[in-house]
């Protein structure tokens, strides 16, 4: 098998989102064991003008979902973006995985050079080649928010290691 | 052009490392303008048992360099890992970019299914397909350390936005 627009996108987002779900499970267990208010983690920020943990998860999910929708042309469901608890964030990840799993690999054929219009901020757009959109935009944005979520948990004392992020439940 | 093991690796590492260099430039300007000891940033950590900023940069560079070396089979230079200052970290990024730029795209042909032996920790190895190594290991590891470095700077008050990470000097 050779690398393709499908193999470089959907399985990567799925793999990392499953590991993110594993990380969230550890965070939820952490607050439960210590009788900590979960909001101390879910609303935590690394700096006052950065987004809180909940938004990092939501944006990571959307980078995957909207990235795949723009490349494949398969319409993605819209969500309300009102997740607050670990359980709600886990459900958001699961709904994103459900969508990713529903997109046929065939929809990615020939998308390497497809022109994709990407919204930039509120009122600008940028046209990118499909492959450039995937490698320089969707993936970079996705990893940014997944890693920031991990960093927030580590900064707040949740016992995690890089293996939880890299291999998820296989980290033991 | 269709996606390939080369197009999904070298140009991505180059793009993100150049943006990381831009981010480091802003961090260096920040400490200079405010007469802050640069060590306050370069030795900062998000939690006591996490690696400091300098190591995040070094490991990001090595994820790119060693990732490309394992896939392409083109031997990579070894560095001393003794960078301490922003200028030394910038030189590390540049040396990594020099290596990446020296590897011919032809060396990536047929590496999708190449068996790659990956060191795991100090005394274990794992064999992965070339594409799996790239998408599930080298890239994930690379983005993890680049984003953690960015998060450390934001946490310490350096004025950065996601555009600095996504588009670098083009962020204005």
């Amino acid at each position: 098998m050779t690398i393709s627009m499908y193999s470089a996108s959907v399985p990567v987002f799925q793999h990392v989102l499953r590991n993110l779900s594993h990380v969230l499970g550890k965070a939820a267990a952490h607050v439960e064991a210590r009788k900590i208010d979960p909001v101390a983690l879910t609303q935590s920020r690394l700096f006052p003008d950065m987004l809180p943990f909940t938004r990092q998860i939501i944006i990571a999910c959307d980078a995957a979902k909207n990235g795949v929708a723009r490349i494949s042309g398969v319409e993605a469901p819209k969500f309300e973006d009102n997740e607050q608890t670990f359980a709600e964030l886990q459900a958001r990840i699961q709904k994103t995985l459900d969508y990713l799993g529903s997109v046929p690999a065939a929809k990615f054929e020939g998308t390497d050079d497809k022109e994709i219009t990407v919204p930039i901020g509120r009122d600008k757009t940028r046209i990118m080649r499909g492959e450039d959109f995937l490698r320089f935009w969707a993936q970079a944005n996705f990893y940014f928010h997944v890693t920031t979520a991990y960093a927030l948990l580590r900064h707040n004392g949740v016992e995690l290691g890089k293996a939880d992020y890299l291999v998820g439940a296989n980290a033991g």
Side-chain angles (χ1 to χ4, degrees), chain A:
Chain A
M1 292 289 287
T2 55
I3 190 170
S4 67
M5 285 294 286
Y6 181 80
S7 76
S9 57
V10 171
V12 175
F13 294 134
Q14 289 172 323
H15 177 79
V16 178
L17 285 175
R18 287 190 191 112
N19 295 353
L20 182 62
S21 171
H22 161 79
V23 163
L24 257 66
K26 284 204 165 182
H30 174 93
V31 295
E32 196 175 316
R34 286 164 185 77
K35 316 239 183 269
I36 296 169
D37 184 348
V39 168
L41 295 185
T42 55
Q43 285 304 313
S44 65
R45 300 169 194 257
L46 282 173
F47 199 68
D49 69 354
M50 285 180 82
L51 294 168
F53 182 82
T54 50
R55 296 293 304 180
Q56 302 294 343
I57 303 295
I58 288 170
I59 299 174
C61 286
D62 278 4
K65 183 192 72 166
N66 298 335
V68 164
R70 289 201 175 95
I71 296 168
S72 69
V74 176
E75 197 178 350
K78 291 203 175 170
F79 304 128
E80 287 188 39
D81 300 341
N82 55 2
E83 289 83 0
Q84 294 294 332
T85 67
F86 283 116
E88 288 165 355
L89 293 169
Q90 291 280 19
R92 177 67 174 247
I93 293 172
Q94 190 53 54
K95 285 191 290 185
T96 304
L97 286 168
D98 291 345
Y99 167 73
L100 296 177
S102 77
V103 181
K107 294 282 186 187
F108 289 75
E109 280 169 25
T111 57
D112 312 64
D113 282 323
K114 175 181 171 181
E115 273 195 6
I116 293 182
T117 302
V118 188
I120 309 283
R122 291 193 182 174
D123 50 8
K124 287 189 198 167
T125 59
R126 190 168 153 188
I127 293 175
M128 304 178 82
R129 278 182 68 232
E131 187 193 3
D132 291 347
F133 169 69
L134 173 61
R135 61 184 173 166
F136 297 137
W137 199 263
Q139 281 186 344
N141 202 22
F142 176 70
Y143 277 118
F144 182 88
H145 292 285
V146 170
T147 303
T148 302
Y150 174 96
L152 271 165
L153 297 178
R154 285 286 271 121
H155 179 62
N156 283 288
V158 179
E159 287 174 12
L160 294 165
K162 193 167 67 176
D164 291 301
Y165 158 85
L166 281 176
V167 295
N170 296 323

